Amino acid sequence: MKKLFKRAVTAALSLIICGYTAVFTASAKEPYDVYNYDRWGEPIPSQAGYTAERAVSGHDLGVGAFDMPSDIFCAFDGNFYITDTGNSRIIAVNSDFSETVKVYDSFTMPDGTKTTLKKPSGIFISAENQLMYIADTDNSRVLVSDLSGSVVREITKPDSEIYGGQRTFNPQRIIADKAGNIYVVLNNITTGAAMFSPDGEFTGFYGANRVQPTAEIIGDYVSGLFMSEEKRARRTRNVPSGITSFDIEGDFIYTCTSSSSQTTDTVKKLNSAGKNIFANNEAVFGDYSPMYDTSQNRLLASAIVDIDIAEDGNINCLDLTMGRIFQYDEDCNLLFIAGTNASQVGGFKQAAALESCGDRLYVTDTMKNTVTIFKETDFGKAVHKASSLHNDGYYEEALLPWMEVLKYDGTYNRAYLGVAAAKLRSGDYEEAMKYAKLADAGKIYDKAFEGYRMEFIKNNFEPILLAVIFGLIAIAGCVKIRKDKKAALATERKKEKTDEKEG
Amino acid sequence: MWDLTPVQWVIHAITHPVEGFEDMRWKKSGSLKIAFFIVCMLFLANIAAERLYGFNHYVPYDKIFNVVPYIVRSFVLFGAWTVGNWAVCTLLDGEGTMKNICIYSAYALVPYVAQMFINTLLSHFLIRDESVFITIVAVIGTGWSAILLFSAIRSVHQYSALKTVFAIILTIAAMLIMLFLLILLLFLIQQVVIFFSTLFMEISYRLKD
């Protein structure tokens, strides 16, 4: 008997273990466990949306090893421009990373002299005026040049009082909008990105982060109310973290902030007035909860060092801490998580910049000195198709793509939401309720339930009316009977009393 | 005249917030069995309101089911109330026995429990825009229970209104102290268990060598 029991236990255990390994080998190609978040916000194994195709080094391109490639940009002509920071040059690579188009190591100034870069760390190419904007960090300047390498404009530290004379001017990242206004993220500046007019005039700061309202800061504020002017002037000031990187898409600028302490404003979507559209968004960017690393005794919280907006509006965030790419759709719903900290292709040592082009993602690594190319998988393609249809408002058209997604990954929460929305739109309320429940979407469920209730009442109006009428009659009857009983009891008592009196 | 069955007494107490409990005290009625049943219903109502509520109004965390919070919210809280009130009111010249406090307080909870069940049912018929009806039911039920509880404490101890308020505030303080001590005790027991388990582990390792 005992032996039999032991055998049964072993069989059950081995079955469970088999089940587990089966789950985890579902996407074994990547050098990490691909995961996503389920409807309870807990990580679960998932299908990979992106898979690492290859890693390209400087040797592969015939330009010698990269040294800390810190930024990459996909230009309008399909070429990629990489800032090879350590080698102080910019390398233009063709669209499939097979050969180098041009190496920019020196530029011609308007007066004919040659100038070289010194650790450039940001690059942007404008499609409108076909100019190249370079954040020339250690030369403390911004160069605007055409694609042949002759400088159109040089922007150095502004004299403006708004800028402040004591501050340094070390451009880190740079973008330009359609009108040619230039935005520069500066190192150690917390008041936002410096803004320049197309002719190089400093016009102010743009998109500063807010101070996170922690208990300490609220306490400081309250105690500050009771301080004298002198005391208030001398205390340490609460300063938000500066912007780390940004990207522009249409009329909006998306910024990201990597900070070990700050959790508000890590990703922002700014309109032209500098107002954050994501301010009231409940979305969490990066991992939902930081991982505790026992070997270093510290929490590994996500630090988003670069952000990129794809052509279809998806938001790609690069997390330095865990070496992960987080992809969100335009409404900040998490789509995929890819990448890790590892030596294999698909892993990073120090992820620095991220760029998307077509169905691929390009990530530069300043320690491996490579550019890793990720390609969208079939699953990724299905999700992108469904989510872009959904976000454009074609809910019903997105139904089949979402069903396709569920065939790949039955735990993909976003798909249930999409199916529920599609069913609701097409008036299939019962199914919509079922899928909304699976997606934890109370609002959609509510709308579907409203329709379902309406239909139910319409179809069964006569029986409901009859039931209500009969119910009312029954209640009235009950009340009448009770009243009669009570009255009878009362008269009986009266009788008894009078009898007693008489007796 | 007052020859009511135990269940009729419950109805009488609930529907007569001012003198219902006085009448009950006068006739020395009230059943501990019914009181226990009501607290059990409170426990079930807590679970129903969490797990059977209409999905359009409330999205529960349904990955795991843990019964402990529901037990705490019904049995433990009610027990703490009874014991706390008894402890406080014995010192404040209250006339109520532990049994009577338990019975009267439980009877006073009936509208609250009913409100929870009614709302759980209503939430399956109403949409979010109509949730004001649910709120109305909840407010009426809870307020009614609060008035009844006040009246129950007043008549079980034969207090004046002001003294009842004072006693209730002290009771809540006593409940907090009790719960604090309970948590402290649990924590200390845990420490002791950890100590002995480490001791056992240490000795067993040494014996192995």
Side-chain angles (χ1 to χ4, degrees), chain B residues 162-174:
Chain B
L162 209 67
K163 200 169 181 190
T164 313
V165 173
F166 184 59
I168 287 175
I169 292 169
L170 279 186
T171 305
I172 291 167

Side-chain angles (χ1 to χ4, degrees), chain A residues 38-40 42 44 436-438 440-443 445-447 449-450 453 493, chain B residues 1 3 54-57 59-63 123-130:
Chain A
D38 65 7
R39 68 182 171 116
W40 298 287
E42 280 161 45
I44 44 161
K437 212 165 190 174
L438 285 170
D440 253 12
K443 255 186 201 164
Y445 185 92
D446 189 47
K447 285 268 170 300
F449 176 73
E450 191 180 353
R453 194 181 61 171
R493 278 212 181 119
Chain B
M1 188 189 168
D3 46 354
F55 194 80
N56 41 346
H57 293 280
V59 179
Y61 181 77
D62 52 357
K63 193 168 190 176
S123 68
H124 287 278
F125 294 102
L126 300 180
I127 57 170
R128 259 185 211 190
D129 293 345
E130 299 154 1

Side-chain angles (χ1 to χ4, degrees), chain B residues 4 7 9 20 22 27 67 74 79 89 99-100 105 112 132-133 145 157 161 187 190 194 197 206 208:
Chain B
L4 303 177
V7 177
W9 267 115
E22 289 287 346
K27 294 298 272 186
V67 81
S74 53
C89 292
K99 185 187 160 196
N100 275 353
S105 306
Y112 180 72
V132 64
F133 294 108
S145 264
H157 294 303
F187 186 71
Q190 191 192 3
I194 289 172
S197 70
R206 271 164 209 270
K208 261 184 205 164

Side-chain angles (χ1 to χ4, degrees), chain A residues 76-110:
Chain A
F76 60 92
D77 54 4
N79 290 345
F80 287 89
Y81 291 78
I82 303 164
T83 56
D84 194 359
T85 307
N87 294 326
S88 295
R89 60 183 178 173
I90 284 157
I91 297 160
V93 184
N94 71 347
S95 56
D96 56 357
F97 268 76
S98 54
E99 59 185 13
T100 310
V101 175
K102 191 168 177 175
V103 176
Y104 297 89
D105 25 30
S106 71
F107 290 84
T108 322
M109 294 299 273

